[in-house]
Amino acid sequence: MTGINRRQLGMGLGAAALGAALGGRASAQTNAAGAAGSSAAATDALSFPAGFEWGCATASYQIEGAVKEDGRGETVWDVYAHTPGKTTDGGTGDVACDSYHRYQEDIALLKALGVKNYRFSVAWSRIFPSGKGKPNQKGLDYYNRLIDGLLAAGITPHMTLFHWDLPTGLQGGWQSRDTAYAFADYAGFMAGKTSDRVKHIMTVNELRCFTDLAYWNGNKAPALRLPMDQVNQVRHHGVLAHGLGVQAIRAQARAGTQVGLADNATIFVPAIETAEHIEATKKAMREENAMFLTAIMEGRYIDSYLAAQGKDAPKVQAGDMKAIGSALDFVSLNVYTANTVRAADTASGYEILPHLANSPRMASPWLYMCPEALYWSIRTVSELWKPKKLYISENGCSADDPVAKDGKVYDADRVTYLRNYIGHLHRAVREGFPIEGYFLWSLMDNFEWEDGYTKLFGIHHVDFKTQKRTPKLSADWYRELIRTNRMV
Ligand code: GBH
């Protein structure tokens, strides 16, 4: 559906916004507006535009297994997961969902679900086992089989090039500027080899996670706790890798290849939907993400960030910021939770309100329920930076997921989570923001990083002893949403 059609739809349906977000029934007024639209599918207040891209997401280390096969090189996550005490119950990605061998089965799952889009990531160390140097054909062959299999099933591949599994062969990891150059070489190589078939490429996944959480908080690989000046340098190398990656992809990809990134900007929602709180929220969005998404969208580090970091600010070389600010075809956001902001009489002009002990949340302690995050993430990013297109590249949740007597997982809580978040996605669509698609995290239960296999996000249950995949209630729900292209 075109932007014009969406705006027409939005204008007609504005009055129904609240009703739809709450799962209410379409009113006579909205039905009339829908009938006036050009798309047959958009016939009521709860429909999505025809062609809205529904998908599922996964990542290499979390699902592939086969860590020593066909020349794959070691990564920081292999080391971390095998270090006693790092992951809950000692979980590793050695086998995970065994997707390296079972990718055909996974394609069949996607097909049965009716999703037409799949977001996967490439394990850098399968392509360049030590991060750079001579490419490994067998690793590339795997992704060619996956891509061809997806296309044969009528599913569009959306490829992420780095989802945290950094080759240990890269000395110094993200502390080294050379890693950004190595990433660009790898990114260009993959674009050259796959862009005849892959038209959507994301450089990196979640800058904050592989920089701050890995080199400052120390709870993601390589689990360091560096001083702030070094942390800022790691962050800089992360955004630089993205920017140089964009340039390398553009240099080597076929015309028409769309390039972006999947970032987990910290999301803010206004306490009350009034001009002053919305302004404060946008300000928080821009300032709290200054070292990541703001730098990428503006091609500079904003003054407040540089002032706050003082002598610890990153060391920037000529040309870096230009590369970092390379124009993008789309911006993808991983959205799980958010913080509430109010306008306040503080130096920054805003206050971020803390989550409280009884704030509702899902099975992961950090996963506070905040459905409006999906709307406000899209709106604040759109209004601040006007990206051409947006995607939600991840949204989903962990849940308790007990297996019932009949072998099925009835995850009604996950359905509630998804239904509410997608209700707010629908609002963003209705209001005409350029949101193209949505990827549910995750296709199936998988290795959840430091939580091992104790927090599971899948809409398919995986029996890790037998590798049997079984649709949960949430998969049935998502299938129906896709089939009708409508809130269900
Ligand atoms: C995403 O990260 C990842 O892309 C994906 O691989 C992962 O499986 C999925 O979401 C589910 O977690 O130490 O308390 O500060 C999610 C974003 C941000 C979640 C940081 C955990 C920190 C927890 N992550 N957050 S805490």
Side-chain angles (χ1 to χ4, degrees):
M1 191 172 194
T2 67
I4 288 170
N5 281 336
R6 276 192 204 179
R7 270 192 293 278
Q8 288 170 340
L9 186 66
M11 274 155 48
L13 302 186
L18 187 62
L22 298 175
R25 294 183 50 155
S27 66
Q29 179 195 356
T30 61
N31 279 330
S38 60
S39 161
T43 51
D44 68 39
L46 303 182
S47 291
F48 280 83
F52 190 81
E53 297 169 47
W54 297 106
C56 285
T58 63
S60 47
Y61 188 69
Q62 295 181 269
I63 66 162
E64 286 178 359
V67 291
K68 298 208 167 128
E69 225 161 302
D70 291 339
R72 176 186 178 277
E74 185 190 65
T75 73
V76 294
W77 273 96
D78 297 299
V79 174
Y80 179 101
H82 280 274
T83 305
K86 290 292 187 199
T87 64
T88 311
D89 299 342
T92 75
D94 286 1
V95 179
C97 309
D98 195 30
S99 281
Y100 191 76
H101 302 113
R102 295 169 194 264
Y103 66 95
Q104 294 283 19
E105 216 179 300
D106 297 336
I107 293 170
L109 288 184
L110 291 161
K111 201 166 176 187
L113 206 53
V115 297
K116 294 280 187 285
N117 299 277
Y118 181 49
R119 173 175 177 242
F120 65 94
S121 83
V122 176
W124 184 344
S125 76
R126 290 196 193 279
I127 309 299
F128 293 99
S130 59
K132 55 189 175 185
K134 201 169 147 316
N136 171 36
Q137 186 60 40
K138 285 191 170 167
L140 183 61
D141 289 345
Y142 169 67
Y143 294 104
N144 279 331
R145 289 195 294 277
L146 174 63
I147 291 163
D148 293 343
L150 288 166
L151 291 171
I155 298 165
T156 303
H158 295 246
M159 181 170 79
T160 306
L161 293 173
F162 178 65
H163 198 123
W164 312 349
D165 39 1
L166 188 73
T168 51
L170 295 166
Q171 295 295 314
W174 289 110
Q175 288 185 266
S176 169
R177 189 178 163 91
D178 289 343
T179 296
Y181 295 119
F183 175 76
D185 290 344
Y186 152 66
F189 176 83
M190 284 307 290
K193 294 291 182 191
T194 63
S195 62
D196 55 333
R197 290 155 294 149
V198 179
K199 303 298 179 194
H200 300 83
I201 303 182
M202 283 153 277
T203 55
V204 300
N205 180 73
E206 300 198 344
L207 285 150
R208 197 181 297 272
C209 287
F210 73 85
T211 60
D212 284 14
L213 298 185
Y215 289 83
W216 186 20
N217 303 56
N219 59 4
K220 296 215 187 292
L224 301 178
R225 291 171 188 266
L226 301 176
M228 209 56 215
D229 59 334
Q230 293 182 43
V231 172
N232 280 324
Q233 208 55 40
V234 164
R235 292 166 164 177
H236 182 66
H237 296 154
V239 288
L240 182 62
H242 156 77
L244 295 173
V246 172
Q247 294 181 340
I249 292 164
R250 291 219 203 284
Q252 306 216 31
R254 309 240 174 154
T257 308
Q258 308 263 301
V259 189
L261 83 164
D263 193 33
N264 65 326
T266 306
I267 308 301
F268 300 97
V269 307
I272 309 172
E273 202 168 319
T274 60
E276 62 164 347
H277 294 301
I278 293 171
E279 249 345 273
T281 300
K282 283 161 71 173
K283 204 162 183 222
M285 186 74 186
R286 183 167 179 261
E287 298 208 357
E288 303 293 326
N289 294 297
M291 62 301 275
F292 303 122
L293 193 60
T294 306
I296 287 169
M297 301 311 285
E298 302 189 18
R300 67 194 233 6
Y301 291 124
I302 58 177
D303 297 343
S304 54
Y305 169 64
L306 292 176
Q309 299 307 317
K311 62 170 180 33
D312 293 335
K315 283 163 202 62
V316 176
Q317 295 187 15
D320 285 4
M321 298 317 296
K322 188 157 184 268
I324 291 165
S326 296
L328 302 176
D329 298 298
F330 64 87
V331 171
S332 297
L333 300 168
N334 293 356
V335 179
Y336 289 91
T337 189
N339 296 287
T340 299
V341 164
R342 69 177 188 96
D345 194 9
T346 58
S348 64
Y350 60 83
E351 185 194 357
I352 301 169
L353 301 175
H355 292 294
L356 301 174
N358 285 319
S359 299
R361 51 182 155 174
M362 302 304 292
S364 303
W366 55 270
L367 220 180
Y368 290 96
M369 180 99 174
C370 188
E372 55 278 48
L374 223 44
Y375 170 75
W376 285 103
S377 58
I378 293 166
R379 177 163 164 186
T380 52
V381 168
S382 293
E383 293 183 352
L384 283 168
W385 301 301
K386 313 214 165 15
K388 287 182 217 141
K389 291 178 184 171
L390 287 131
Y391 286 90
I392 297 301
S393 36
E394 289 181 24
N395 172 241
C397 65
S398 49
D400 291 336
D401 290 347
V403 180
K405 282 205 189 76
D406 63 0
K408 179 110 178 162
V409 172
Y410 293 97
D411 53 343
D413 49 353
R414 182 177 283 108
V415 172
T416 298
Y417 174 101
L418 293 170
R419 185 184 279 134
N420 279 276
Y421 276 68
I422 292 177
H424 286 270
L425 170 71
H426 192 272
R427 179 181 173 193
V429 171
R430 271 192 320 267
E431 293 183 10
F433 293 106
I435 172 80
E436 299 288 311
Y438 168 97
F439 292 83
L440 202 160
W441 183 276
S442 178
L443 173 63
M444 58 192 158
D445 291 342
N446 58 47
F447 175 74
E448 177 58 13
W449 308 113
E450 66 270 29
D451 293 330
Y453 294 90
T454 60
K455 303 290 181 217
L456 301 170
F457 283 71
I459 58 170
H460 290 91
H461 171 263
V462 176
D463 179 332
F464 289 102
K465 288 196 189 73
T466 62
Q467 290 296 343
K468 186 174 176 339
R469 286 95 157 109
T470 308
K472 299 178 190 177
L473 178 67
S474 54
D476 300 340
W477 174 85
Y478 195 41
R479 190 186 310 112
E480 185 64 9
L481 180 146
I482 293 164
R483 188 184 71 75
T484 57
N485 200 31
R486 183 179 187 279
M487 293 295 302
V488 286

